[in-house]
Amino acid sequence: MKPVNKALFPSIVEKFQFDGQFVGLLPYGSGHINDTYSVIFQMDEHINRYILQRINTDVFCNPVELMENVVGVTRYLHSAITKAGGDPKRETLNLIPTVDGSYYYVDEQGGYWRAYLFIENTVTLQRARNKADFYESARSFGRFQLLLADYPAETLHETIPLFHNTPNRILQFQEALQADKKGRADKVRKEIDFVLEREEFTHVLVDLQAQGKLPLRVTHNDTKLNNVLIDAGTGLGICVIDLDTVMPGLSLNDFGDSIRFGASTAAEDEPDLSKVNFDLDLFEAYTQGYLEVAGKVLTDAEIDNLPVGAKMLTLECGIRFLTDYLAGDIYFKTAHPNQNLDRARTQFKLVQDMEEKWDAMFDIVKKHRNK
Ligand code: ADP
Ligand code: MG
Ligand code: MG
C-alpha cells in the first residue's frame, strides 16, 4: 500500500455525509491492517466524531465484495439490536454513506475509504487485563453470533476462499515441504511429524460440515480481544468491530481462534516454550461467556465440538506458520529469521497442552451448556 497522500484529505472528507463543521482529523488507534483516522466535526455545541478508514487492499484484494458483506451485516445488526431494545448506534458499527449514496469512496490513487460513527467512551485492549476482559469479549462475540443467527450466511461473499479449510492448509504445507525452497525442512523434522501425525484430525470439522451436521454461520474471522470495544466505565463488552473478514463459515472457527489467541499464557512468538501453556481458567471464562449468550442459538453439534474448534484453529495456525517458514517467510511479516518457526512451535505446544487437558475441556463445556 502506498502511504496515504495527506493532500487528498479535504477531498476525501467531503465525500461523506458527516454532520457539522469540519474541525480536524488525526490518526487513530493501533490497528495493524487498515489506515484509521478519527474525524472531528462540530455542530452547535456538539462534537461529532467519526472513524475514517482506508481499507488495506494489499490484504483484501476485493474491497467491493468486502464492503457488501459489511453493509449486509451492519444493516442486519442495526435492526436486530433495535428489536432487542438495545442501542444500535453503540452496539454495532454504523456506516456513514457518501454524498453519492454509496458506502465507500475510491480516491484518485485507487484507495478505498469508508466511514463509521465513532463509538465514544470505549477502550480497545491489546491484551486482557484480567479474566473478566476475556469473558466480556466472549459475550460480545457470542452476541454477534446470537444476533446474526438467522442471517442468510450463504449470501455473504467468501472474500478469502478456503480460509479455514484445514485439510487444504495441510495440502499447502505438503507443497512447501516438497519444495523445501530454503533447505529448512531438515531442521524441523519434529514439527513436520507433529503436523503429519494429526492429518486425519484436520478433516473432522469440514467432514461434519459436508455431512450437514454443522450449520453455515456468519463468521467474523478476527475474533481477537482488540476487535471488541469495551465500555470505559463499566468494563462491559459493547461492540464487535473490524468486520473486514466477515464471511460464511463455522461458528467453531471464531470460537477456536479466540481461544487460540486468548487462552495462551504467552505471546504468539514466545521462543521459551516453557512459558507457553493453554490456560484452562481462561478457556472456561471464554466458554462460559460465549455459551451464556450464544448457547441458545448454537446446535448441540456446535457446542459438543467447541474443544475441537479450539484445537483445530490452533493446529491450523501452527501449520500456516510452519508452511511459511518452509516457504521462506513470504506471507507473515517477520522481524527475525526464526520468528515463523517460533510461532509454529507455540501453536504446537498449545495443541499438545490441549490434548493433555482434553477431558477437562469437555467437562467445562458440559458445565456451562444449557444454562
Ligand atoms: P484494523 O483491521 O486495522 O485492526 P479496526 O477496524 O480494528 O482496523 O480499527 C482500528 C482501531 O480503531 C480499533 O482497534 C479501534 O480502537 C478503533 N475503532 C475502529 N472503529 C471504531 C469505532 N466505530 N469507534 C471507535 N473506535 C473505533
Ligand atoms: Mg482490528
Ligand atoms: Mg482487521
Side-chain angles (χ1 to χ4, degrees):
M1 287 285 281
K2 277 194 205 150
V4 172
N5 177 358
K6 297 196 173 73
L8 293 179
F9 275 137
S11 68
I12 294 166
V13 167
E14 70 185 26
K15 296 299 183 305
F16 289 89
Q17 297 185 31
F18 295 133
D19 280 337
Q21 209 50 35
F22 178 67
V23 177
L25 170 151
L26 287 168
Y28 187 80
S30 43
H32 293 303
I33 304 292
N34 300 306
D35 295 301
T36 302
Y37 300 86
S38 75
V39 199
I40 300 170
F41 278 74
Q42 180 155 20
M43 227 166 88
D44 307 323
E45 65 276 24
H46 294 292
I47 291 292
N48 292 331
R49 265 213 286 186
Y50 302 93
I51 287 281
L52 180 66
Q53 274 182 330
R54 185 178 69 164
I55 301 170
N56 186 332
T57 44
D58 288 346
V59 176
F60 304 111
C61 17
N62 200 334
V64 174
E65 289 194 347
L66 177 157
M67 285 307 293
E68 281 173 13
N69 285 352
V70 175
V71 169
V73 165
T74 51
R75 251 194 209 143
Y76 192 95
L77 284 171
H78 193 282
S79 102
I81 290 164
T82 308
K83 270 188 215 144
D87 178 355
K89 291 206 162 144
R90 206 165 158 70
E91 295 166 30
T92 174
L93 287 173
N94 286 262
L95 280 163
I96 306 293
T98 66
V99 288
D100 306 333
S102 172
Y103 282 102
Y104 58 88
Y105 162 68
V106 188
D107 71 26
E108 55 200 61
Q109 295 185 320
Y112 279 74
W113 294 85
R114 66 172 168 221
Y116 293 116
L117 284 181
F118 192 102
I119 302 171
E120 301 284 353
N121 301 316
T122 61
V123 290
T124 312
L125 303 172
Q126 295 310 319
R127 286 202 72 83
R129 296 165 298 195
N130 47 45
K131 218 158 63 172
D133 288 333
F134 195 44
Y135 166 82
E136 279 305 320
S137 77
R139 290 187 58 98
S140 293
F141 286 117
R143 182 137 190 269
F144 184 78
Q145 202 52 261
L146 170 80
L147 293 168
L148 291 165
D150 293 326
Y151 190 96
E154 69 286 352
T155 63
L156 291 170
H157 302 287
E158 197 179 348
T159 45
I160 314 173
L162 302 178
F163 190 46
H164 284 308
N165 185 309
T166 319
N168 191 57
R169 297 290 185 186
I170 289 263
L171 288 180
Q172 293 168 335
F173 162 73
Q174 278 162 332
E175 277 167 27
L177 178 58
Q178 214 92 69
D180 193 19
K181 275 212 179 107
K182 300 275 160 174
R184 289 173 167 179
D186 268 343
K187 274 191 5 200
V188 291
R189 284 291 158 206
K190 214 174 92 186
E191 287 73 16
I192 292 167
D193 289 345
F194 188 92
V195 172
L196 296 178
E197 281 158 20
R198 287 160 184 78
E199 200 272 335
E200 213 181 297
F201 171 78
T202 63
H203 294 266
V204 173
L205 294 181
V206 290
D207 285 357
L208 285 172
Q209 186 181 6
Q211 293 157 14
K213 291 182 182 157
L214 291 172
L216 198 67
R217 301 275 189 192
V218 179
T219 52
H220 181 280
N221 294 304
D222 194 9
T223 48
K224 292 202 187 79
L225 182 67
N226 67 12
N227 284 328
V228 175
L229 298 179
I230 308 265
D231 188 286
T234 62
L236 299 177
I238 297 297
C239 180
V240 168
I241 60 166
D242 204 346
L243 304 176
D244 294 332
T245 45
V246 159
M247 274 184 273
L250 299 179
S251 63
L252 296 168
N253 297 341
D254 277 356
F255 177 86
D257 204 33
S258 291
I259 298 299
R260 174 192 82 74
F261 193 79
S264 168
T265 54
E268 200 170 62
D269 60 351
E270 172 60 57
D272 179 358
L273 290 182
S274 70
K275 294 186 184 152
V276 183
N277 289 298
F278 169 60
D279 187 322
L280 262 186
D281 280 346
L282 289 172
F283 175 74
E284 175 156 13
Y286 196 93
T287 302
Q288 179 181 348
Y290 190 69
L291 286 178
E292 276 171 2
V293 183
K296 51 182 157 302
V297 294
L298 297 174
T299 64
D300 282 345
E302 285 175 300
I303 299 177
D304 290 343
N305 281 291
L306 290 173
V308 175
K311 180 175 150 184
M312 189 69 74
L313 270 283
T314 313
L315 178 65
E316 180 186 291
C317 190
I319 294 171
R320 292 177 64 195
F321 288 141
L322 189 60
T323 303
D324 203 34
Y325 177 75
L326 291 169
D329 310 312
I330 50 181
Y331 183 80
F332 297 106
K333 276 189 200 138
T334 50
H336 59 83
N338 276 340
Q339 198 171 6
N340 272 323
L341 178 58
D342 287 341
R343 288 170 176 150
R345 284 179 172 151
T346 62
Q347 302 308 296
F348 298 153
K349 171 77 192 284
L350 291 170
V351 168
Q352 198 175 4
D353 212 10
M354 287 177 191
E355 287 170 351
E356 279 159 27
K357 295 168 177 163
W358 202 230
D359 292 344
M361 289 171 77
F362 283 91
D363 288 344
I364 286 168
V365 171
K366 199 168 161 194
K367 178 171 155 195
H368 293 288
R369 73 188 303 164
N370 299 330
K371 274 198 180 161

